[in-house]
Structures are given as structure tokens and as C-alpha cells.
Amino acid sequence: DLYSSHNSTVQLVSQREREMEDGYDPIVTSKEEKISMNRRKLVLSKCFSNIFWISAGIYSMTLVLVYNSEMKQNGTFHIDVETWIACILQISQVSCVAYGSYVLLREIDTVSVVDSWNMYMTTAIGFSGIYLVLFVFGDDALFVSDDPKVLESSLDSILFTMTYFSVATQTLTGPGDISTIGVSLQVVVVLQMI
């Protein structure tokens, strides 16, 4: 009895190994369903890749537009056409983050680690743009730094500082050298953490 039980277990294991070698998936039963699932995964990967590269392009355009923007004497920025365009670009940045998050949550069972990583980076880049807009158009005291010179430099330097703040927030490391003041900005930070 023990010998026959052992033989049947060995047969089941070898049958399962043969099925796995043939690409059998117990969830996807037919070959057409498997092909359809693979196409869906490829489309999703391309979607997340495109979202990331669009977001990176918007970030680059923002950097070019705000490069060497100088602060006025009273600590505020001169809002010129380039700064306005850079801030308007952040609307599409927010759209990338919102759409990508929606697709990621809707298709969570089929996305790969690379797709999730693309969306993770898109979110960090997107929120850095949001923080830049809040810094430019918000009160002077929305962000506080241990080193006040960090928040008193050119706008392109501020963009890098906001990217640093965004990545520190998203990774939940938050060293505390830059912090936020005000409920509205703290709500935005909490949304990024979630």
C-alpha cells in the first residue's frame, strides 16, 4: 500500500513537471487564452513604459524651462512665461500618475515587477513636479529646511530639491532635512505615501 501510494505521488509530480515544461497554467486552460494573456501583459508593459518615459520627458522639459530662473530680492520667484509653462506641464504629469495608478490597481494580477517599478518612478517624478508648483505658487513657508540656502537657490536647483524630497517621501525614509508646514501640503505628502 505504501509503495503504490509513493508511485502515484511520483507519477503526479512527473505529470505536473511535464505540464509546466509545456507551458501549462492551471488558471489559463486553453492555448488561445494563454496567447491572449501574453498579449495583455505585453500591452500593459508597453503602457507602463510609455507612462514612465512621458513622465521623464515632462520632467526634462520642466528642468529646461526653469533652468537658471532667478529669485527676486524678497525671496519669491519671478513668474515668467517659461515658469508658467513648466507649471502647466505638471497637469499632464499628474494625469500620468493618476492614469498609471488606476491601470496598475485594475490589472494588479498581470503586471510585472518592471511595470510596478516604472509606475513607482513615475510617481516619484510626478510628485516632485507637484511640489515644485506648490513651492512656486504657495506661501514662502510651505517647506522648511535645516539649511535655508537649499530653498533659496535657483528654480532648477529647487526642482532637484523637490525630487529629493519626493523620493525621500515615497521611500518612507524622510531624513527630516526638508519638511512641510501646512495641512494642504501635508495632505499631498500623505497621498504620495499611500
Side-chain angles (χ1 to χ4, degrees), residues 11-59:
Q11 288 173 352
L12 284 174
V13 168
S14 18
Q15 178 184 356
R16 179 68 183 140
E17 287 173 352
R18 283 192 304 274
E19 289 173 348
M20 289 176 70
E21 287 174 1
D22 294 338
Y24 175 77
D25 187 348
I27 297 172
V28 180
T29 55
S30 72
K31 188 173 184 177
E32 291 82 22
E33 287 177 340
K34 185 175 180 181
I35 291 170
S36 174
M37 180 66 77
N38 286 339
R39 283 187 187 144
R40 186 171 157 203
K41 287 180 180 180
L42 287 173
V43 167
L44 282 173
S45 288
K46 186 70 173 167
C47 173
F48 286 115
S49 178
N50 287 342
I51 289 172
F52 170 75
W53 287 112
I54 289 169
S55 182
I58 292 169
Y59 183 86

Side-chain angles (χ1 to χ4, degrees), residues 102-120:
Y102 167 75
V103 172
L104 182 71
L105 292 173
R106 190 185 75 206
E107 303 291 339
I108 195 71
D109 59 332
T110 55
V111 296
S112 69
V113 173
V114 173
D115 300 336
S116 299
W117 181 250
N118 280 337
M119 199 54 228
Y120 188 81

